[in-house]
């Protein structure tokens, strides 16, 4: 963002945000009915400099906009959610990803069909998150209600902050197309996969066989080349049609289920392992012979139909080598996008068909091809190692989602290290399978691949001791699942020094300073200790006679992460936070369910808050009249305000002044 906008926005927020509730997005609801066909219309009006996030965002980013319905038994969805205008795209430095958002206004339209002539009421809520250049608000819910086949008002919407709803979320439109940049990268990845598939033992030997078919077909050179071109086009069409069917049949909801549920992810893991064992030579995976033979018989009919069935036969025969590669592309695209599987399969098919088509058009090039041999099997075995490593990602997703605890980060890394060490030894000829040829010498390409493989292993090893491994973090389980984190051990050792005169953790050695609740999934940055429950943190502060530093934050708060990275990391700030204050971090967007004894009824909207995030989002609003994060509050241990709270400010000196003024005020009161 441009610097003048940042400065102006910051000044406005500094003078106006305290003591008021920010509502930069206003929602209105409308509908149109034609018989049993209905349009549900959701309109958002967005204040200047604010933006509303799109209905699909990558994992690890802020909360996407979603429309959630309470009961769908009396109507059916017709088509996907329509959005106007097209959202803008911008690369976010904090999340390191491209995010899509709306400015000024947005309209969402969902077509539905009513299943009855009786009065029908459609209830639900819109959940959304919005930010400006300086501030991000926590996820907010707005109730809506549409009534049809009745003379009463047909659409009711109420814009409130953090409206509680007991509805069940059954629809989350995740967007359809993704960014153009992402699609191009996926196309390039699929293109490389197509070229890799050519170098497998099931495919490479078929190139001269295919060329021979067109050369000896008894047709003129022109007709042979036309049929060869149609043959290549047919290969592309067959694979692209498969991708299209995946997109149409599965759709965004089924694709989201495929990418997150334990059942498909465990199944994908098993499939990848089975194919890896096949690549290693344990057994051969083939399609039923009747299917291949039936296609092969159609080839004899000749003409364009014969060329098509020649292409179909190639696809079927090569399945045992291309199956896992094609499956990986389709699974990779299973994130709710419609274009992605089509683009992926088109890219794969384009690369896969290219050599067959070119050699069929120019058969003289065959003389320059390397002969089939043991090198093809080596390619297949290397692909087996890669299949084994990548298959672990699916098991990891299921493990994280359902908290099985069988594939923590160091277990995952240990398996990868062993897999790639074995792959490196195989490339050097030190590991051999039963169907491998003897490696009398190591060629330069094999040596270079072995160097790359062992270099990757060296890169992985520090991860066993807690190194973040940022280059591949997207493929690894989260850092919080790491049991043996050397950095954490060192921090704990430093705390133990307190027993001989050093610094003791603030909740140690005092009966009233309990171990923090929710610490198994909530954490503070830079090794700081703190609480995630207000009452528990206040009790510790009173016991230690220390002031309280409250951090209103969120998992999806971009500016919170910027403050932690640029301000909290300052040694002067860290020293003060660690030694002078009891830190209470209150996550306003956490979805963890609270026991009924900890539910609170809001004095702001009268709703019952049943999750950790809703409880503390409501606490921030009712106690301080603000709903923006980051928001920092200094209290004495009686809960009284020490100095005016502070919002987003990347100047460490200003933050130090804020902490020092609070500490001085606390000392004066004591």
């Amino acid at each position: 963002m441009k610097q003048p906008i940042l400065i102006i926005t910051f000044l406005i927020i500094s003078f106006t945000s305290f003591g008021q509730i920010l509502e930069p997005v206003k929602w209105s609801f409308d509908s149109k009915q034609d018989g049993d066909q209905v349009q549900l219309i959701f309109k958002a009006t967005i204040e200047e400099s604010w933006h509303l996030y799109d209905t699909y965002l990558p994992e690890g980013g802020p909360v996407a906009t979603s429309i959630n319905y309470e009961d769908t038994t009396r109507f059916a969805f017709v088509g996907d959610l329509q959005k106007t205008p097209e959202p803008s795209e911008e690369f976010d430095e904090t999340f390191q990803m491209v995010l899509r958002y709306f400015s000024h206004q947005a309209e969402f339209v969902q077509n539905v069909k009513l299943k009855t002539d009786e009065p029908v009421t459609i209830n639900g809520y819109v959940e959304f998150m919005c930010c400006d250049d300086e501030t991000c608000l926590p996820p907010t819910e707005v109730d809506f209600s549409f009534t049809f086949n009745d003379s009463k008002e047909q659409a009711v919407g109420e814009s409130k902050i953090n409206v509680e709803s007991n509805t069940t979320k059954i629809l989350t439109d995740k967007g359809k197309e993704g960014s153009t940049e992402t699609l191009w990268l996926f196309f390039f990845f699929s293109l490389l996969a197509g070229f890799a598939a050519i170098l497998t033992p099931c495919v490479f030997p078929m190139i001269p066989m295919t060329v021979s078919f067109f050369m000896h077909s008894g047709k003129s050179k022109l007709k042979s080349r036309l049929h060869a071109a149609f043959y290549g086009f047919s290969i592309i069409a067959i694979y692209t049609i498969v991708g299209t069917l995946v997109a149409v049949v599965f759709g965004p909801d089924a694709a989201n289920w495929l990418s997150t549920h334990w059942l498909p992810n465990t199944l994908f893991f098993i499939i990848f392992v089975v194919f890896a064992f096949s690549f290693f030579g344990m057994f051969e995976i083939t399609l039923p012979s009747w299917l291949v033979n039936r296609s092969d018989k159609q080839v004899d009919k000749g003409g364009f139909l014969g060329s098509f069935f020649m292409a179909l036969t190639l696809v079927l025969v090569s399945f045992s080598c291309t199956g896992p590669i094609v499956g990986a592309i389709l699974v990779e695209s299973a994130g709710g996008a419609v274009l992605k599987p089509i683009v992926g399969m088109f890219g794969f098919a384009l690369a896969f068909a290219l050599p067959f088509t070119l050699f069929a058009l120019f058969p003289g090039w065959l003389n320059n091809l390397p002969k089939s041999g043991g090198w093809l099997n080596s390619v297949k075995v290397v692909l087996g190692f890669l299949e084994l490593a990548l298959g672990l990602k699916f098991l990891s997703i299921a493990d994280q989602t359902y908290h099985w605890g069988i594939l923590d980060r160091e277990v995952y890394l240990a398996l990868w290290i062993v897999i790639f060490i074995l792959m490196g030894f195989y490339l050097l000829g030190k590991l051999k399978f039963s169907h491998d040829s003897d490696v009398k010498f190591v060629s330069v390409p094999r040596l270079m691949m072995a160097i790359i493989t062992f270099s990757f292993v060296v890169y992985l090893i520090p991860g066993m001791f807690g190194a973040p491994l940022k280059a591949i973090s997207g493929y690894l389980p989260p850092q919080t699942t790491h049991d043996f984190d050397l950095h954490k051990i060192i921090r704990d050792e430093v705390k133990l020094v307190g027993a001989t005169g050093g610094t003791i953790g603030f909740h140690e050695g005092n009966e009233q300073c309990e171990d923090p609740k929710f610490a198994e999934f909530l954490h503070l940055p830079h090794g700081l200790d703190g609480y995630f429950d207000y009452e528990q943190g206040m009790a510790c502060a009173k016991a230690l006679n220390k002031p309280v530093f409250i951090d209103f934050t969120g998992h999806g708060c971009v500016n919170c992460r910027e403050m932690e990275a640029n301000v909290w990391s300052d040694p002067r700030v860290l020293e003060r936070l660690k030694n002078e204050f009891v830190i209470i971090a209150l996550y306003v967007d956490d979805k963890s369910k609270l026991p009924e004894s900890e539910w609170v009824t809001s004095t702001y909207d009268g709703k019952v808050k049943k999750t950790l995030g809703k409880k503390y989002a409501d606490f921030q609003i009712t106690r301080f009249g603000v709903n923006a994060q980051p928001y920092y509050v200094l209290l004495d241990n009686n809960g009284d305000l020490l100095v005016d709270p502070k919002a987003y400010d990347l100047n460490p000196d200003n933050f130090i002044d804020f902490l020092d003024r609070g500490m001085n005020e606390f000392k004066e009161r004591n």
Side-chain angles (χ1 to χ4, degrees), residues 197-412:
I198 296 166
L199 300 177
T200 58
C202 316
V203 179
F204 189 82
M206 295 191 67
I207 295 178
M209 292 170 55
T210 303
V211 175
S212 177
F213 170 79
F214 289 107
M215 287 179 63
H216 301 91
S217 60
K219 301 181 180 69
S220 67
K221 183 179 291 187
L222 177 61
K223 280 190 175 181
S224 294
R225 291 189 172 181
L226 282 175
H227 290 157
F230 184 75
Y231 167 74
F233 172 78
S234 299
I235 295 174
I236 296 174
I238 291 168
Y239 279 112
T240 307
I241 288 171
V242 171
T244 304
L245 288 175
V246 169
V248 173
V249 174
F250 285 159
D253 293 332
N256 181 57
W257 181 81
L258 281 173
S259 62
T260 57
H261 196 273
W262 71 268
L263 182 60
N265 278 284
T266 305
L267 181 61
F268 291 145
F269 166 70
I270 295 172
I271 290 172
F272 270 58
V273 171
V274 169
F275 269 103
F277 288 174
S278 174
F279 282 10
F280 292 151
M282 186 175 180
F283 46 79
E284 190 70 26
I285 297 177
T286 58
L287 289 176
S289 58
W290 64 266
L291 185 61
V292 178
N293 293 336
R294 182 171 296 181
S295 175
D296 193 41
K297 286 180 181 178
Q298 301 297 320
V299 175
D300 297 332
K301 294 183 178 181
F304 289 105
L305 186 62
S307 298
F308 172 80
F309 279 101
M310 184 71 181
L312 181 59
T313 301
L314 169 68
V315 171
L316 296 175
V317 170
S318 63
F319 170 78
S320 61
C321 288
T322 61
I325 301 175
V326 170
I329 293 173
L330 292 177
V331 170
E332 179 66 24
S333 67
V338 171
L339 275 183
K340 205 172 182 184
I342 301 173
V343 168
M345 293 300 283
F346 176 76
F348 174 85
L350 183 64
F352 188 74
L354 191 61
F356 288 93
T357 307
L358 290 177
F359 283 113
L361 290 172
F362 308 101
W365 291 3
L366 274 177
N367 298 325
N368 299 321
L369 272 184
K371 301 299 181 183
S372 300
W375 69 274
L376 282 178
N377 187 71
S378 298
V379 171
K380 189 175 181 180
V381 171
V382 169
L383 287 175
F385 281 114
L386 295 176
E387 288 283 322
L388 204 56
L390 295 176
L392 289 173
K393 176 61 178 174
F394 300 108
L395 183 60
S396 174
I397 292 173
D399 182 63
Q400 293 171 42
T401 305
Y402 292 88
H403 306 291
W404 294 338
I406 61 176
L407 202 60
D408 290 345
R409 194 169 185 267
E410 65 267 35
V411 176
Y412 190 101

Side-chain angles (χ1 to χ4, degrees), residues 25 71 182 186 219 239 253 267 373 402 410 435 438 442 493:
V25 179
D71 182 12
T182 303
F186 190 64
K219 301 181 180 69
Y239 279 112
D253 293 332
L267 181 61
Y402 292 88
E410 65 267 35
H435 55 294
D438 290 332
V442 178
E493 289 293 332

Side-chain angles (χ1 to χ4, degrees), residues 89 91 96-98 177-193 329 332-333 340 343-345 347-348 475:
E89 290 183 347
F91 183 81
Q96 290 294 299
M97 61 180 68
V98 175
E177 311 305 337
S179 69
T180 303
E181 179 185 3
T182 303
L183 288 176
W184 273 110
L185 287 174
F186 190 64
F187 173 79
F188 180 70
F189 163 78
S190 303
L191 203 69
L192 293 179
I329 293 173
E332 179 66 24
S333 67
K340 205 172 182 184
V343 168
M345 293 300 283
F348 174 85
Y475 289 93

Side-chain angles (χ1 to χ4, degrees), residues 596-638:
E596 189 171 353
S597 59
E598 296 184 23
W599 293 357
V600 297
T601 301
S602 173
T603 58
Y604 173 74
D605 58 18
K607 302 293 184 178
V608 178
K609 309 302 178 182
K610 301 179 181 179
T611 67
L612 187 66
K614 292 183 183 300
K615 174 181 177 179
Y616 288 123
D618 181 72
F619 175 67
Q620 183 184 8
I621 292 170
T622 55
R623 175 70 191 276
F624 303 104
V626 176
N627 65 332
Q629 292 80 42
Y631 194 69
Y632 306 109
V633 181
L634 299 181
L635 303 176
D636 62 22
N637 47 49
N638 293 314

